[in-house]
Amino acid sequence: SQTIHQWPATLVQPVGSPLSLECTVEGTSNPNLYWYRQAAGRGLQLLFYSVGIGQISSEVPQNLSASRPQDRQFILSSKKLLLSDSGFYLCALELAGEPDTQYFGPGTRLTVL
Amino acid sequence: AQSVTQLDSQVPVFEEAPVELRCNYSSSVSVYLFWYVQYPNQGLQLLLKYLSGSTLVKGINGFEAEFNKSQTSFHLRKPSVHISDTAEYFCAGNTGGFKTIFGAGTRLFVKA
């Protein structure tokens, strides 16, 4: 079965610093990949999704960006963090044979001070 | 437009009591519906899903949900909860595209 890894698990960064969060997948090929953000006490906000290497769709205009350099790697980045970027970032995948069903990674807790 | 509404932000319940977490959806097309559970500081775990067929869907951990098209609902139920069921539960819907819409979540708190 598939496994999703997210790194790091927790991160504390100052305002204005850069960001790189990594999501890697094992046990499957050619998944659709997603980045979500979950603010404290709120639901999930879709940030980006990718259907293949180098293919990124953005759902919310903001100072974040995403890249998919390899089939099983999905990276979330920022050049300059804002206080409002704090939250719990979740990577998710959809399997090729199981569309519309999302499986989530363990998440990265980001605190911007 | 598609939306998913969870009617209760918090549901306190005593251990071994039944529970129902309510979810309503709005969609003009066929929709796939899901329930996820999130334990503190963890990712979401799929509990169950409705794609088509039988409207009563059974999931993991003894949970089940019923798709009701006339009432546009997909309520989650468990006949007897345990302390370990304390978590946040998310209802979600998808009309077949890349975008899954999540509800705001319901925090289930099981008391001894």
Side-chain angles (χ1 to χ4, degrees):
Chain A
S1 64
Q2 72 282 354
T3 304
I4 305 172
H5 301 281
Q6 288 190 242
W7 184 89
T10 61
L11 188 62
V12 180
Q13 290 284 93
V15 169
S17 63
L19 173 74
S20 181
L21 302 182
E22 186 167 343
C23 170
T24 57
V25 176
E26 293 180 351
T28 188
S29 297
N30 197 31
N32 292 338
L33 295 174
Y34 298 77
W35 277 112
Y36 289 90
R37 177 169 58 203
Q38 187 177 25
R42 301 179 67 177
L44 276 71
Q45 178 187 30
L46 177 62
L47 302 176
F48 301 95
Y49 67 89
S50 170
V51 300
I53 296 173
Q55 300 179 64
I56 308 294
S57 295
S58 173
E59 285 295 307
V60 182
Q62 55 202 337
N63 68 321
L64 299 173
S65 62
S67 62
R68 187 170 177 177
Q70 301 179 47
D71 181 48
R72 301 175 193 178
Q73 186 183 30
F74 202 26
I75 297 172
L76 183 70
S77 303
S78 174
K79 293 181 179 178
K80 288 186 177 181
L81 284 169
L82 307 173
L83 286 174
S84 57
D85 290 324
S86 292
F88 194 46
Y89 287 81
L90 291 160
C91 179
L93 67 79
E94 280 181 0
L95 301 174
E98 197 175 351
D100 305 319
T101 302
Q102 302 202 347
Y103 296 93
F104 286 81
T108 293
R109 171 88 47 204
L110 172 65
T111 303
V112 182
L113 301 175
Chain B
Q2 180 187 341
S3 66
V4 174
T5 303
Q6 292 183 243
L7 301 168
D8 306 293
S9 59
Q10 296 187 62
V11 174
V13 63
F14 284 103
E15 192 174 21
E16 298 184 5
V19 71
E20 178 180 82
L21 305 184
R22 297 181 294 168
C23 173
N24 284 92
Y25 69 91
S26 171
S27 176
S28 59
V29 298
S30 296
V31 62
Y32 307 132
L33 295 165
F34 308 83
W35 275 99
Y36 290 86
V37 60
Q38 185 180 32
Y39 300 102
N41 294 310
Q42 295 186 27
L44 278 68
Q45 179 182 4
L46 181 66
L47 275 178
L48 50 80
K49 61 183 176 182
Y50 171 79
L51 301 181
S52 65
S54 173
T55 57
L56 183 63
V57 181
K58 293 189 182 297
I60 63 171
N61 301 343
F63 284 94
E64 63 180 31
E66 186 162 16
F67 172 65
N68 188 319
K69 188 174 182 179
S70 63
Q71 297 186 9
T72 61
S73 67
F74 190 57
H75 300 334
L76 181 71
R77 301 185 183 99
K78 186 170 182 177
S80 176
V81 294
H82 303 290
I83 296 288
S84 60
D85 291 322
T86 294
E88 187 142 23
Y89 293 78
F90 291 93
C91 182
N94 188 303
T95 54
F98 293 107
K99 193 168 183 178
T100 295
I101 304 298
F102 288 82
T106 296
R107 188 169 298 277
L108 174 64
F109 179 57
V110 181
K111 300 177 285 186

